[in-house]
Amino acid sequence: MKFLKRFGIVVIVLGALFYFIGMPYLKKQTKKNSPEKTANYTLEGAELSVNYSSPSKKDRVIFGELVPYGQVWRTGANEPTTFSNSAEIMIIDKSLPAGKYSLWTIPGKESWKIIYNKEIPEWGVTLLSGGKETTRDFDKDVLQVEVPVKPLPEPVENFTIDFKNEEQLYLTLSWDKQKVSIPINK
C-alpha cells in the first residue's frame, strides 16, 4: 500500500514538473526556430491582425511532404495562427463577424481551403501524435473558403503571412514555391 502511495506521489510530481517546467522550456526552444510574427492592416477603420510562428524551409520539400496535401495544417508552427478583426468583414463572399479566430488551412496542389475557427487551442498539434494531428475542433469552424494556389518563381525561405493591397486587399500566405491570396473586403 505504501508503495502505491509513493508511486502515485512520484507520478504527480513528475507530471507537475513536466507541465510547469518542461512544457514552457520546449515552447521557448521551438520559438527559436520558428519566431513569432505579426501582420497588421487597417481596412476602412477595421483593425486586422494576424499572429503566427514562421518556420523555415531549410532545404526541405514543404507542400506535399512536410505539410501533406489534403490534411488540416495549423498554418505555421507552435500555437495556432490567430486572425483578429475589429469589425465585420467579408472573406471572398462570406461574412466574418468581428472577433479573434484560429486560422487553419488544408493545402492542396491546385487550391487551399482556409478555415476560421472560433476556438484558439493552447498548442496547434497534439503531442501524442508527434505533431501530425491538429488540435482544431471542426465543430467550432465559423467560415471556410477555397482559394487557388499561385506558383512562385523563387522559393520563400520563411513562412510568411502578410496583407497586400493591390486594388483589392488580400491576406497572403507564402512559403517555398507556393502562395495563396485570400480576398478581404468590408
Side-chain angles (χ1 to χ4, degrees), residues 13-32 36 74 78-80 121-131 135:
V13 168
L14 288 176
L17 284 172
F18 179 74
Y19 184 79
F20 291 110
I21 296 172
M23 286 298 293
Y25 175 77
L26 290 173
K27 287 180 181 183
K28 185 177 178 181
Q29 294 305 309
T30 62
K31 290 181 187 218
K32 286 181 182 178
E36 291 183 24
R74 65 180 153 181
N78 307 324
E79 297 91 352
E122 188 175 325
W123 203 246
V125 293
T126 62
L127 294 177
L128 294 177
S129 73
T135 54

Side-chain angles (χ1 to χ4, degrees), residues 57 150-157 174-179:
K57 180 173 167 38
K150 297 175 186 168
L152 295 171
E154 295 293 322
V156 173
E157 178 64 27
S174 308
W175 199 18
D176 197 6
K177 290 190 173 187
Q178 289 193 6
K179 173 181 168 181

Side-chain angles (χ1 to χ4, degrees), residues 57 60-73 105-112 132 149 175-178:
K57 180 173 167 38
R60 301 177 289 186
V61 175
I62 302 301
F63 298 107
E65 288 192 23
L66 180 66
V67 177
Y69 289 127
Q71 293 182 20
V72 175
W73 178 41
T105 53
I106 302 175
K109 289 180 183 179
E110 305 296 322
S111 65
W112 284 25
K132 298 202 183 303
V149 170
W175 199 18
D176 197 6
K177 290 190 173 187
Q178 289 193 6

Side-chain angles (χ1 to χ4, degrees), residues 13-128:
V13 168
L14 288 176
L17 284 172
F18 179 74
Y19 184 79
F20 291 110
I21 296 172
M23 286 298 293
Y25 175 77
L26 290 173
K27 287 180 181 183
K28 185 177 178 181
Q29 294 305 309
T30 62
K31 290 181 187 218
K32 286 181 182 178
N33 295 320
S34 300
E36 291 183 24
K37 303 279 184 176
T38 300
N40 297 302
Y41 194 87
T42 302
L43 175 65
E44 298 173 24
E47 299 297 325
L48 308 177
S49 182
V50 178
N51 293 298
Y52 66 103
S53 291
S54 175
S56 299
K57 180 173 167 38
K58 298 180 188 171
D59 294 323
R60 301 177 289 186
V61 175
I62 302 301
F63 298 107
E65 288 192 23
L66 180 66
V67 177
Y69 289 127
Q71 293 182 20
V72 175
W73 178 41
R74 65 180 153 181
T75 315
N78 307 324
E79 297 91 352
T81 293
T82 60
F83 180 92
S84 303
N85 51 313
S86 65
E88 180 179 358
I89 57 173
M90 299 296 289
I91 305 293
I92 303 181
D93 60 348
K94 296 181 180 180
S95 173
L96 183 66
K100 186 173 183 178
Y101 304 93
S102 54
L103 183 68
W104 307 85
T105 53
I106 302 175
K109 289 180 183 179
E110 305 296 322
S111 65
W112 284 25
K113 290 181 182 167
I114 313 297
I115 304 162
Y116 296 82
N117 186 290
K118 64 183 172 184
E119 180 180 62
I120 302 171
E122 188 175 325
W123 203 246
V125 293
T126 62
L127 294 177
L128 294 177

